[in-house]
Amino acid sequence: MAYPFGPEQKPETPPYAVLQYKRQDTSIAQAVHNTENQSQYDAACKRLLSEKIILAWILKECVPEYKDEKIDDIMHKYIEGVEVSVVPVQGPRIHGDNTEDTDRYEGTIRYDIFFRALLPKGQGRMLLLINVEAQNKENEKYPLVSRMMYHLARLASSQHGVEFIHDDYGNLQKVYSIWICMDAPKSRANSMNVYEMTEKQVAGNVKLKKSDYDLMTGILLWLGDPGSEKYDGIYKLLHTLLSNKVKEPKKRQVLEEEFHIPMSEKMEKEVSEMCNLSQGILEQGMEKQRLIDERKIERIQKKMERQNIQKMKQLLAAGVDKTTIASVFDCSLEELEGLSKKKSR
């Protein structure tokens, strides 16, 4: 089954309820406010990802259970299992009530985003438990896919006593862990890998019901490289939304025109502030690189000075005329006299 599904389908017309609050303050606008440094910028990215309309696009394009559903239906009927008929001024957002998973033996892990989503009718189990994580870069200390598998295991085991009790494992709900890598190298940009449970018949022809074992799926998305032919659908949406390199007018155009994500007048201002923050982060990086380059140049200059002094000493010892040495190395006769005195001591 191919992933993602979304780029082949045209987004439907924005629902009236969404259009109704298009010019009001949306919570998406507030999600890009008060960001002054990199950590706050990262937190703002995670808040933007927690918007229902963004999660709806992620589900539609990455999760096969929703590939045939409309964005508006996913947003209002399925996410959190709540059907929203009136969109509030603040806008719907997944709150972090269930983002902490604590086990007395295994410790505590915190999910960036965790929510429940009802399944469309006729798909077996009632709901999905979904975790979304945002990563600037992959950690060099461990494979990101291994961490994702640990999250999946915890999402499954934490259901005991919540989704089912005792040994009623038939009520175990399927879990998804979706990891978004925002700053991927070109070799991985605009890519998606899916890791899921499959059945392998080693001997005999026994075939079990897929919904009984297909209960954990991990998805890795790598963003970036707008110049690639694959830069479309979910890759373009998330990169445009989260990148600190996409300019303000382009953000507005792509989010509004291609993905029908509401942008109020105030949000336009706040997106502008976020873009200013992005520029600030870029300038900080440039300043840091400038200092690194200056220190590198200073080390090179000192090394060359030591090498030149050594060569001048060798020429003085060989009896070469001091005027000639001073001309070649662009130094004064007084400096050469100083070297001679040091040599003679």
Side-chain angles (χ1 to χ4, degrees):
M1 188 172 288
Y3 297 77
F5 301 94
E8 299 177 358
Q9 303 175 19
K10 296 290 184 182
E12 63 273 17
T13 303
Y16 175 74
V18 172
L19 291 174
Q20 199 172 26
Y21 78 103
K22 184 169 182 176
R23 295 185 178 179
Q24 301 178 24
D25 279 343
T26 67
S27 53
I28 296 181
Q30 296 176 357
V32 291
H33 189 59
N34 293 330
T35 48
E36 296 177 353
N37 55 40
Q38 182 64 56
S39 62
Q40 289 176 319
Y41 182 86
D42 294 343
C45 288
K46 293 170 185 177
R47 290 197 300 272
L48 282 170
L49 282 173
S50 72
E51 293 292 336
K52 272 192 172 183
I53 193 167
I54 303 300
L55 292 175
W57 274 105
I58 292 173
L59 293 186
K60 182 174 180 64
E61 297 209 15
C62 302
V63 179
E65 286 87 348
Y66 300 96
K67 68 183 180 69
D68 296 323
E69 303 300 321
K70 295 181 179 180
I71 291 295
D72 189 48
D73 286 343
I74 298 173
M75 180 179 171
H76 293 86
K77 293 181 179 179
Y78 301 127
I79 292 179
E80 288 189 317
V82 177
E83 184 174 352
V84 181
S85 56
V86 179
V87 181
V89 171
Q90 294 299 321
R93 169 179 292 148
I94 302 300
H95 295 282
D97 300 332
N98 299 311
T99 57
E100 187 172 286
D101 181 0
T102 301
D103 184 277
R104 60 179 298 188
Y105 300 109
E106 298 181 33
T108 300
I109 60 173
R110 291 177 175 84
Y111 307 115
D112 285 352
I113 301 166
F114 172 77
F115 63 99
R116 290 172 166 80
L118 288 176
L119 280 167
K121 293 180 180 179
Q123 298 203 34
R125 284 168 165 73
M126 292 179 58
L127 54 83
L128 300 177
L129 306 183
I130 301 172
N131 159 230
V132 177
E133 299 286 326
Q135 297 285 302
N136 278 327
K137 293 182 179 180
E138 293 190 49
N139 196 311
E140 296 179 357
K141 296 180 180 178
Y142 55 80
L144 186 61
V145 67
S146 298
R147 185 179 172 192
M148 181 178 70
M149 290 302 172
Y150 180 71
H151 275 224
L152 284 168
R154 288 293 293 268
L155 285 166
S157 65
S158 65
Q159 293 182 52
H160 191 271
V162 180
E163 305 299 339
F164 71 95
I165 59 174
H166 305 306
D167 59 354
D168 190 11
Y169 297 104
N171 287 326
L172 183 67
Q173 305 300 318
K174 185 173 182 178
V175 297
Y176 273 89
S177 189
I178 303 171
W179 293 67
I180 300 167
C181 301
M182 295 183 282
D183 189 14
K186 276 196 173 184
S187 60
R188 294 189 179 188
N190 306 321
S191 298
M192 181 189 297
N193 282 9
V194 177
Y195 304 86
E196 55 191 356
M197 194 78 70
T198 60
E199 180 180 68
K200 183 178 180 180
Q201 295 164 312
V202 178
N205 298 308
V206 177
K207 191 172 182 63
L208 299 181
K209 189 178 178 182
K210 184 177 180 180
S211 60
D212 288 340
Y213 62 82
D214 181 25
L215 296 173
M216 294 195 301
T217 297
I219 299 175
L220 281 175
L221 290 93
W222 292 275
L223 308 180
D225 193 9
S228 167
E229 292 181 359
K230 297 182 294 181
Y231 186 71
D232 198 1
I234 195 67
Y235 311 113
K236 187 172 186 178
L237 167 60
L238 295 179
H239 180 264
T240 301
L241 184 72
L242 304 176
S243 175
N244 58 14
K245 298 177 182 177
V246 179
K247 301 299 183 181
E248 178 189 349
K250 187 66 175 179
K251 280 184 184 285
R252 290 203 308 267
Q253 178 187 357
V254 172
L255 295 177
E256 282 190 319
E257 296 179 7
E258 297 189 33
F259 297 96
H260 303 296
I261 295 175
M263 297 281 287
S264 67
E265 292 180 5
K266 184 177 180 181
M267 180 174 175
E268 290 181 2
K269 177 183 176 182
E270 290 172 336
V271 167
S272 176
E273 291 176 1
M274 189 174 188
C275 290
N276 290 336
L277 170 67
S278 301
Q279 182 63 31
I281 293 173
L282 177 62
E283 290 173 356
Q284 289 174 12
M286 293 173 64
E287 175 64 15
K288 183 178 179 181
Q289 186 61 47
R290 185 186 67 79
L291 294 174
I292 291 173
D293 291 342
E294 284 182 355
R295 287 194 291 267
K296 185 177 180 180
I297 291 171
E298 186 178 351
R299 288 195 299 269
I300 293 173
Q301 288 175 337
K302 287 181 178 179
K303 182 178 179 181
M304 291 179 65
E305 286 175 6
R306 290 194 298 268
Q307 291 175 342
N308 287 343
I309 290 172
Q310 185 63 30
K311 289 177 181 178
M312 285 189 286
K313 286 181 177 181
Q314 291 172 351
L315 292 172
L316 286 170
V320 177
D321 180 64
K322 290 181 181 179
T323 304
T324 302
I325 297 174
S327 175
V328 170
F329 288 93
D330 192 24
C331 65
S332 66
L333 291 174
E334 288 77 9
E335 289 173 321
L336 285 178
E337 290 293 341
L339 286 178
S340 298
K341 292 178 182 179
K342 289 180 180 179
K343 181 177 180 299
S344 62
R345 287 176 185 174

